[in-house]
């Protein structure tokens, strides 16, 4: 392609504008967290006092703890069940193969707000409220398609002979599963654990319907602060969350590559 | 291997989806045909009155459903335009830069949506950078109210949807051989017309997929209309939430939910139809 000066300039302008649109708001929010006065950009000075304030907010720390626990439970259950289902589905050859795969993937196509509304309604009717396990189950429902899809995709190019070899030299099916199949699937299991944790950790919609006072998660707590205390310490908390996300993203990219974890939310 | 063992492996996932997803969804559909008594308890009598109320009252039909669809559609148009630009920039970048550019696009997806929406509240706020710019350049005498209106909600939805659109279109752009564009230019096409006549038409499947994805994400937005609409922009998902938890009218909340579900399913249906007929027309093209 012939490169004119105008073309090259337009090219760079377009690139910069695009990334500014995507990322500048986050950069501005980070800058605001160092502003000593108010939630305003550009900052009129530099302070770290808002970061110190966070430690004086027990409800924030509690929410961070709740979100972490919830995220770990969701990641473990969602990935565990998802991996088993994907292996089972791959080997299953009955009439229900197509319907089962539709069922396993269906939470991706139903708006999360409807999943949450439906669960809220039925639990309300059954009188089950304030239960951490229903919250975990709901998070598992909205995250489970991701591990299933990751593992299914990896199993496409899977050599079944490895497992048959294990069986032929006397391994029980259970040993073949634990010693051969699962280690081979590590490349899709680890990103699945991370992605389900991140999805649960960031989830607002499902939690707002189903979480109770004891399990106010981080997104819910942050939203509550926005409503009642609109001060730079909210930006400081956000900055911590942004940094945590960036670290996770880089770790995933460096260890397993981003290919396996495309499209979340 | 024996079938029962395979079924057992799938059982935990199927059980949890059945109990916490399929059964509640069926219950919501049934509930949408029931009504709520004067004290809020659900009456055991099937009726279509919720749907009749929704579809005949312009407060729900015009002001809620059509507004939701309209805002989601406008946001989708902008998301696809901006997303196409991003995808094109990444597709044409050098391989070494590409990894980084993709990672920067994915980054917002990993950040909490409440945080991302908050960042827009700062940017669009009364004393925010956008207002400072508008006043500084003389476009406005004093800071404007940029938050808590439809425009703010649209900007928020575009922000959320763009990374998804970029990834859909980027995949397709990557698969188009650059030689096609070069061939067009060797026979005299300008770079612009080579893009318009060759690359762009071939990338349309990605544009279509990105649009459907963006619309699906936008129409079910929840955090964005709550925070950037500030209670002044009515939206389906928010109305369903408020009707269920604040007004405590469970059947009517179910009706709003089911109607939203029908809209998203309808969109998926249109998408599949479009893909199929697009496939047919390219087949015709190749045959002729």
């Amino acid at each position: 392609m012939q490169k004119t000066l105008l073309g090259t300039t337009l090219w760079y302008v377009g690139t910069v504008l695009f990334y500014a649109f995507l990322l500048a708001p986050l950069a501005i929010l980070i800058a605001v967290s160092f502003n000593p006065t108010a939630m305003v950009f550009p900052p009129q000075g530099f302070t770290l006092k808002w970061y110190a304030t966070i430690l004086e907010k027990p409800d924030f720390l509690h929410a961070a703890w709740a979100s972490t626990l919830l995220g770990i439970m969701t990641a473990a259950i969602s990935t565990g069940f998802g991996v088993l289902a994907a292996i089972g589905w791959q080997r299953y050859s009955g009439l229900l193969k197509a319907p089962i795969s539709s069922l396993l993937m269906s939470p991706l196509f139903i708006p999360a707000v409807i999943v949450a509304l439906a669960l809220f309604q039925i639990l309300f009717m059954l009188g089950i409220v304030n239960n951490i396990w229903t919250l975990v189950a709901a998070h598992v429902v909205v995250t489970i398609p991701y591990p299933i899809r990751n593992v299914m995709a990896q199993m496409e190019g899977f050599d079944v002979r490895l497992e048959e070899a294990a069986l032929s030299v006397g391994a029980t099916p259970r040993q073949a599963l634990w010693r051969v199949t699962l280690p081979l699937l590590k490349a899709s299991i680890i990103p699945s654990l991370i992605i389900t944790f991140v999805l649960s950790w960031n989830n607002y919609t499902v939690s707002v319907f189903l979480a109770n006072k004891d399990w106010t998660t981080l997104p819910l707590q942050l939203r509550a602060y926005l409503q009642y205390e609109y001060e730079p310490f909210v930006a400081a908390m956000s900055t911590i969350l942004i940094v945590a996300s960036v670290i996770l993203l880089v770790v995933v990219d460096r260890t397993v590559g981003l290919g396996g974890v495309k499209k979340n939310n | 291997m024996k079938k029962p063992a395979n079924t057992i492996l799938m059982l935990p996932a199927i059980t949890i989806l059945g109990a916490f997803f399929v059964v509640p969804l069926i219950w919501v559909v049934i509930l949408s045909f029931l009504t709520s008594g004067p004290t809020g308890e659900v009456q055991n009598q099937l009726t279509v009155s919720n749907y009749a109320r929704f579809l005949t009252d312009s407060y729900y039909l015009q002001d809620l459903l059509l507004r939701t669809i309209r805002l989601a559609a406008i946001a989708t148009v902008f998301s696809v335009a901006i997303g196409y630009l991003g995808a094109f920039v990444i597709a044409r970048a050098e391989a070494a830069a590409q990894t980084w550019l993709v990672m920067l696009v994915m980054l917002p997806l990993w950040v909490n949506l409440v945080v991302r929406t908050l960042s827009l509240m700062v940017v669009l706020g009364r004393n925010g950078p956008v207002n400072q710019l508008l006043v500084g350049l003389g476009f406005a005498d004093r800071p404007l109210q940029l938050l808590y209106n439809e425009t703010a909600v649209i900007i928020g939805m575009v922000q959320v949807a763009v990374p998804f659109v970029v990834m859909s279109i980027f995949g397709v752009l990557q698969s188009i051989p650059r030689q096609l564009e070069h061939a067009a230019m060797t026979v005299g096409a300008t770079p612009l017309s080579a893009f318009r006549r060759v690359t762009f038409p071939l990338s349309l499947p990605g544009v279509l997929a990105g649009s459907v994805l963006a619309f699906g994400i936008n129409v079910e937005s929840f955090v964005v209309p709550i925070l950037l609409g500030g209670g002044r922009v009515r939206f389906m998902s928010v109305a369903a939430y408020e009707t269920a938890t604040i007004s405590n009218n469970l059947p009517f909340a179910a009706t709003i939910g089911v109607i939203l579900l029908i809209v998203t399913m309808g969109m998926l249906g249109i998408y599949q139809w479009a893909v199929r007929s697009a496939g047919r027309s390219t087949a015709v093209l190749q045959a002729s």
Side-chain angles (χ1 to χ4, degrees):
Chain A
M1 202 185 287
Q2 63 269 59
K3 291 214 164 124
T4 60
L5 185 64
L6 179 69
T8 320
T9 314
L10 273 179
W11 185 256
Y12 282 113
V13 169
T15 311
V16 168
L17 279 180
F18 171 75
Y19 280 98
F21 171 77
L22 216 54
L23 300 170
L26 292 177
I28 287 170
L29 185 61
I30 292 172
V32 165
S33 75
F34 302 115
N35 189 350
T37 50
M39 283 285 265
V40 180
F41 181 87
Q44 286 106 15
F46 181 88
T47 178
L48 290 172
K49 70 172 175 186
W50 302 112
Y51 288 88
T53 324
I54 293 174
L55 296 174
E56 294 154 20
K57 303 268 175 191
D59 35 4
F60 175 80
L61 299 175
H62 185 268
W65 174 237
S67 276
T68 309
L69 267 186
L70 181 63
I72 290 172
M73 287 194 278
T74 303
I77 298 174
S78 188
T79 307
F81 287 9
V83 168
L84 292 180
I87 296 173
W89 185 81
Q90 202 72 22
R91 295 176 182 170
Y92 175 81
S93 53
L95 279 174
L96 293 175
K97 194 161 170 100
I100 289 176
S101 115
S102 306
L103 169 69
L104 295 175
M105 287 298 139
S106 53
L108 284 182
F109 303 105
I110 309 283
V113 65
I114 293 168
V115 178
L117 174 73
L119 253 173
F120 169 82
Q121 303 252 33
I122 201 159
L123 293 171
F124 190 85
M125 184 193 69
L126 297 172
I128 307 169
V129 280
N130 294 350
N131 187 329
I132 170 69
W133 293 108
T134 55
L135 184 61
V136 173
H139 276 226
V140 169
V141 165
V142 293
T143 56
I144 203 167
Y146 296 92
I148 293 177
R149 197 176 47 183
N150 283 350
V151 174
M152 277 182 179
Q154 208 206 339
M155 288 190 83
E156 294 276 303
F158 201 68
D159 195 347
V160 284
R161 284 173 306 179
L162 288 171
E163 211 175 64
E164 284 163 11
L167 292 171
S168 70
V169 295
T172 63
R174 185 188 300 248
Q175 282 171 329
L177 178 66
W178 282 100
R179 300 264 181 87
V180 179
T181 313
L182 287 177
L184 283 172
L185 288 176
K186 217 178 354 181
S188 53
I189 292 175
I190 293 168
S192 298
L193 282 170
I194 297 173
I195 194 77
T196 45
F197 177 83
V198 171
L199 287 172
S200 162
W201 169 271
N202 284 341
N203 186 291
Y204 181 87
T205 310
V206 171
S207 301
V208 77
F209 275 92
L210 299 168
N212 61 46
K213 288 247 172 342
D214 299 331
W215 285 92
T216 303
T217 62
L218 214 45
L220 299 182
Q221 187 61 50
L222 206 57
R223 153 92 171 113
Y225 283 134
L226 288 188
Q227 237 167 342
Y228 305 112
E229 304 171 67
Y230 192 67
E231 287 200 332
F233 80 84
V234 190
M237 291 171 185
S238 303
T239 303
I240 295 175
L241 295 184
I242 294 170
V243 171
S245 305
V246 172
I247 291 173
L248 263 183
L249 180 70
V250 172
V251 166
V252 170
D253 185 59
R254 283 293 127 88
T255 51
V256 286
L258 282 170
V261 288
K262 257 195 253 160
K263 190 194 168 206
N264 76 71
N265 212 0
Chain B
M1 211 189 278
K2 299 136 292 177
K3 266 183 198 162
N6 303 334
T7 322
I8 288 170
L9 291 178
M10 292 191 283
L11 215 54
I14 292 177
T15 310
I16 203 164
L17 284 174
F20 291 94
F21 177 67
V22 178
V23 171
L25 277 183
I26 293 171
W27 168 243
V28 150
V29 175
I30 296 171
L31 192 61
S32 72
F33 288 102
L34 303 175
T35 52
S36 178
T39 51
E41 84 277 19
V42 175
Q43 316 271 298
N44 282 329
Q45 197 184 11
L46 288 178
T47 163
V48 292
S49 65
N50 291 327
Y51 289 93
R53 179 177 162 206
F54 190 102
L55 296 173
T56 52
D57 192 338
S58 73
Y59 181 71
Y60 293 111
L61 188 66
Q62 303 276 339
D63 210 35
L64 184 57
L65 179 61
L66 293 184
R67 181 197 306 273
T68 303
I69 294 174
R70 179 168 53 85
L71 296 185
I74 296 171
T76 301
V77 171
F78 282 103
S79 313
V80 171
I82 297 170
Y84 200 102
L85 171 75
F88 196 74
V89 163
I90 300 174
R92 289 290 186 271
E94 287 152 32
Q98 238 172 27
T99 328
W100 284 100
L101 293 175
V102 168
M103 203 149 108
L104 285 175
V105 169
M106 307 267 280
L107 190 139
L109 296 181
W110 286 62
V111 176
N112 197 312
L113 189 51
V114 178
V115 170
R116 288 153 68 192
T117 316
L118 166 64
S119 74
L120 286 179
M121 290 171 74
V122 173
V123 171
L124 297 174
R126 190 158 283 277
N127 302 312
V130 172
N131 256 325
Q132 288 171 22
L133 204 68
L134 288 177
V135 174
L137 294 176
F139 289 114
D141 300 332
R142 55 201 158 74
L144 303 172
Q145 175 63 278
L146 301 171
L147 282 174
Y148 314 130
N149 54 38
E150 290 189 353
T151 316
V153 174
I154 291 173
I155 294 173
M157 293 198 287
V158 172
Q159 267 266 339
V160 172
V162 159
F164 293 97
V165 175
V166 171
M167 296 323 290
S168 323
I169 297 176
F170 172 63
V172 175
L173 280 177
Q174 280 292 79
S175 67
I176 301 172
R178 288 291 295 279
Q179 291 93 318
L180 288 177
E181 208 171 280
H182 293 157
M185 287 191 285
T186 29
V187 296
T190 63
L192 195 65
S193 68
F195 170 76
R196 197 167 52 85
R197 310 275 294 269
V198 179
T199 311
F200 183 69
L202 287 171
S203 66
L204 280 177
V207 173
L208 183 65
S211 313
V212 173
L213 194 58
F215 184 82
I217 292 166
N218 293 337
V219 85
E220 61 156 317
S221 285
F222 186 66
V223 176
V224 167
I226 288 182
L227 290 179
L228 295 175
R232 275 172 234 176
V233 179
R234 290 167 42 91
F235 215 72
M236 285 292 276
S237 52
V238 186
Y241 172 72
E242 286 174 350
T243 312
T245 58
I246 299 169
S247 326
N248 224 1
N249 188 341
L250 298 184
F252 199 66
T255 307
I256 298 175
V258 172
I259 290 173
L260 178 59
L261 186 61
I262 292 170
V263 171
T264 51
M265 292 292 108
M267 194 62 204
L268 271 180
I270 292 172
Y271 172 64
Q272 269 160 358
W273 170 81
V275 167
R276 234 176 295 128
S277 45
R280 219 178 297 129
S281 64
T282 34
V284 169
L285 208 71
Q286 279 158 354
S288 62

